[in-house]
Amino acid sequence: MARLKIRDSGRGLNERDREQIRRSFRDALRIASSVKDEIDDIWNQSGRVQKRRKKRRNAWSAHENFTTWFGTSRRHILIRRVRRRIHKIHRWLDSARIVVIAEGARDRLCRGATAFATVPRRPLKVHLCQPWFTLSDSRRAAIIIHELVHELGFRHPGGATSAMTALALARRNSRKARRSPENYEHLYELYF
């Protein structure tokens, strides 16, 4: 699992909070492994180059979760980019150094947010706001994924900031949906 450095920035963290953070990162790694396996099933096709690409496109089209959240475009380059991003998220959750900062109620970036990331930073930094600690296990893990997608350098293309707007983005523009933290968040949550 990732090497977590948990810092308190006004929340008043106790050991229960710290364990909740560690558990949520373990959950995020578990669901990231499942998503990585799914994209690898799509990617790892047999045959020569053209036949393999056709099988990948067909496998993508047949996968309801990916087409729902990332759109139906079967362009090879878009499938490859999603796979790279999914692998990177998994690698970060598995072995990267991640600084987790539990923010206090007064942090201005937490107004109306459950978490945030300032894009991109090294080492990886995930800021958790007060409401994050009250969410369900699946939501907390999915929000961690969301913040890591921000660390890939992506904001909210097409204004996707909710499940409904993320679904609309996937229907309207596959390329943008595959760069949207909101779309990744809701896809990964399906694997909890």
Side-chain angles (χ1 to χ4, degrees), residues 27-39 42 63-67 69-70 86 138 141-142 183-192:
D27 289 343
L29 174 60
R30 180 177 47 78
I31 61 177
S33 295
S34 297
V35 173
K36 182 173 96 49
D37 291 345
E38 294 280 321
I39 194 69
I42 290 170
H63 200 288
E64 184 180 349
N65 293 341
F66 285 115
T67 56
W69 292 104
F70 293 141
I86 288 170
S138 63
N183 291 67
Y184 281 87
E185 173 185 334
H186 293 292
L187 168 74
Y188 277 71
E189 192 172 14
L190 295 174
Y191 291 86
F192 190 81

Side-chain angles (χ1 to χ4, degrees), residues 13-59:
L13 281 177
N14 57 36
E15 190 50 42
R16 183 173 169 244
D17 291 336
R18 291 176 187 278
E19 181 51 38
Q20 188 176 45
I21 292 168
R22 287 188 286 269
R23 185 175 60 246
S24 294
F25 271 86
R26 284 192 300 270
D27 289 343
L29 174 60
R30 180 177 47 78
I31 61 177
S33 295
S34 297
V35 173
K36 182 173 96 49
D37 291 345
E38 294 280 321
I39 194 69
D40 285 345
D41 285 346
I42 290 170
W43 188 260
N44 296 329
Q45 301 295 327
S46 61
R48 292 181 171 254
V49 174
Q50 291 304 317
K51 188 160 202 88
R52 200 167 50 237
R53 285 186 177 187
K54 183 178 180 182
K55 287 181 180 180
R56 283 178 188 151
R57 288 192 300 267
N58 291 339

